[in-house]
Amino acid sequence: MARALETVWVFGDQLNRKIGALATAKPETHRILIIESAGKIASRRWHVQRAHFLVTSMRRFALELEQAGFKVDYRKSATMRKGFKEHVAKFSPSQISVTEPNSYTARQLVASLKVQTVKSNQFLCHPDDYAKFAGDKKSIKMEDFYRWQRKRHDVLMDGKNGDQPVGGKWNFDEENREPPPKSGHDRWPKPKQHKLDKIDQQVLDDLPSSVFGKKPDGLWATSRADALVRLKYFVKELLPTFGEHEDAMLESNWHLAHSLLSPYLNNGLLLAQEVVDAAADAFAKGNVPINSAEGFIRQILGWREYIWNCYWRWMPEYAERNHLQAHRPLPPLFTNPKKTKMKCVSTILNGVNERAYSHHIERLMVLGNFALISGTDPQQFTKWMWNSYIDAHEWVMVPNVLGMSLYADGGQLATKPYASGGAYIDRMSNHCKGCHYDRKKRTGDDACPFTVLYWDFFLRHEKAFVKNPRVARSVRAAQQLSDVVELKKTAKKILQRLDDGEA
Ligand code: FAD
Ligand code: SF4
């Protein structure tokens, strides 16, 4: 009797032939299991583009594997566990292997089943290596981790011994914080798009009616081939100007020079190594200036890997942290942008509805900042972002939202709260012109909610921050404002309006 095939179980965020257990699988000896869990899809109110992107990518990947000669059990089941059991009952595989999954819950599931776990190579720093790097240090600075990554992966390195950074410094941030240019807002080429096909339509037909947002229009690739087209396009057309206006926000241009590659990096259609290589190669050929190449590579080799490792170091307790005791229920404006007159917030939220995306500074310095200074519950805000963004996965959402954005971890990840008033948003965007509110005012009905709540935040949390060297000045400045009583009254009114869905 022929020996039963071995099974390689592939999760929906490991869609790449080079990842872990799949890398050594062969059509003659292995069958591939991919489970589409109806329970997971129906568990939340997802953005339609996010749900479509993840499911379509899985279905296309299964077809690609079949075309490569594999037998694929693409199993639609009520839950992952049930799908796994059904697979075992049907095929009695001689062995089942799986690459270490990317979420805490999935690792718990895998640990409770009889499967062989293969170490993951999906990231550029495995938690085992990070643990060796961290040793018994209590906190690790991203910058130190990034330099270590640059050296050991030999990226943008120079000098006799190859231990010096190309361009003479590790960090070109100073050149990358320019406000938006006054004109020429169409200078960045538009993102690539493709036509939807029958598979896309089938997935859309299968999604539950609870999804929200604008239906997909081909902005997000759902196959490796299309993701590679987007990588090539980014490196050629946008990477050369990535750095300069990286932190700028424009009403008339939502993408600027951002790569829009995070969804593919996060579900496996692209690998971090090939993205870093493509950028470093373009720099070596003289097509990209150092501030853009270094700025982009730092995001992937540094920030992304750092966040991944923070997740594994601190979970599962981390997801429940609420250091500042912020208990405001998610304000209605997040699910209905019509409920706000704040132009910065409504523009970005309309963009999220339109494409399940906004760029980093919009996430951190507008939406996250607003949730922070309004005292919004960190777990509710995380859940909203997780439901709404094309690139959201627990490992990346939780540290970025709870840690970087909301200071809910008490400073484990970020050494200061990223709180700012209207002045920052006015400097880095063109939203304030024509806004109902006046970003300079901190009292009165038309006072900018960011400006008012920024000061109110430091007054509310003066004890927590007065000894923090990075923000102590803001606390003292808040205490010395001439109109503290009036400002507090205005803050109270704004928070009431926010809860009533009228801010
Ligand atoms: P680019 O600006 O082109 O940057 C290049 C790449 O760098 C990104 O594709 C991403 O892979 C990586 N990167 C940069 N910063 C980070 C970071 N802080 N963490 C992880 N990767 C990073 N990123 C996600 O992938 N998924 C999320 O759910 C997510 N949620 C976020 C929530 C908040 C509140 C904040 C502040 C940041 C979040 N980020 C998240 C990080 C970052 O905002 C996005 O990775 C980035 O905006 C994706 O767009 P892009 O591909 O055009 O990025
Ligand atoms: Fe946002 Fe305030 Fe500027 Fe209006 S004035 S766009 S609310 S920062």
Side-chain angles (χ1 to χ4, degrees), residues 232-246:
K232 228 172 147 185
Y233 180 76
F234 165 70
V235 171
K236 183 159 182 273
E237 306 292 341
L238 292 147
L239 181 58
T241 57
F242 178 82
E244 194 181 355
H245 298 292
E246 198 184 334

Side-chain angles (χ1 to χ4, degrees), residues 261-439:
L261 295 177
S262 51
Y264 321 127
L265 282 161
N266 294 354
N267 80 345
L269 293 183
L270 293 179
L271 295 174
Q273 183 72 61
E274 66 193 336
V275 175
V276 168
D277 286 348
D281 193 44
F283 169 75
K285 287 184 177 139
N287 299 336
V288 177
I290 184 66
N291 67 311
S292 285
E294 190 282 314
F296 178 71
I297 285 171
R298 177 151 30 92
Q299 305 308 313
I300 312 262
L301 195 60
W303 274 111
R304 184 170 187 271
E305 298 288 327
Y306 179 70
I307 292 285
W308 162 249
N309 278 291
C310 288
Y311 174 80
W312 286 111
R313 222 165 149 76
W314 297 329
M315 279 295 278
E317 295 78 17
Y318 195 75
E320 300 309 320
R321 300 290 303 274
N322 189 353
H323 178 76
L324 296 176
Q325 294 297 306
H327 295 300
R328 178 170 306 288
L330 185 78
L333 63 86
F334 282 104
T335 43
N336 183 357
K338 285 194 186 123
K339 299 229 177 256
T340 181
K341 291 187 233 144
M342 291 182 279
K343 203 154 150 243
C344 52
V345 173
S346 64
T347 307
I348 295 166
L349 289 176
N350 285 329
V352 172
N353 260 328
E354 182 90 2
R355 56 191 82 92
Y357 174 91
S358 59
H359 73 66
H360 184 69
I361 293 300
E362 295 170 333
R363 297 185 203 200
L364 182 67
M365 298 309 291
V366 179
L367 302 185
N369 178 19
F370 194 71
L372 170 73
I373 61 182
S374 63
T376 296
D377 181 279
Q379 282 69 32
Q380 288 194 26
F381 184 63
T382 307
K383 195 170 171 196
W384 171 77
M385 282 203 111
W386 191 347
N387 294 354
S388 310
Y389 278 79
I390 192 83
D391 54 10
H393 296 260
E394 188 181 57
W395 69 264
V396 59
M397 204 31 108
V398 165
N400 268 305
V401 180
L402 292 189
M404 191 182 294
S405 212
L406 300 188
Y407 204 80
D409 63 357
Q412 255 174 290
L413 194 148
T415 47
K416 66 162 192 173
Y418 279 93
S420 86
Y424 174 87
I425 295 174
D426 192 30
R427 189 166 65 252
M428 295 310 293
S429 79
N430 59 359
H431 293 307
C432 297
K433 274 188 205 103
C435 176
H436 168 84
Y437 296 109
D438 183 340
R439 70 106 181 136

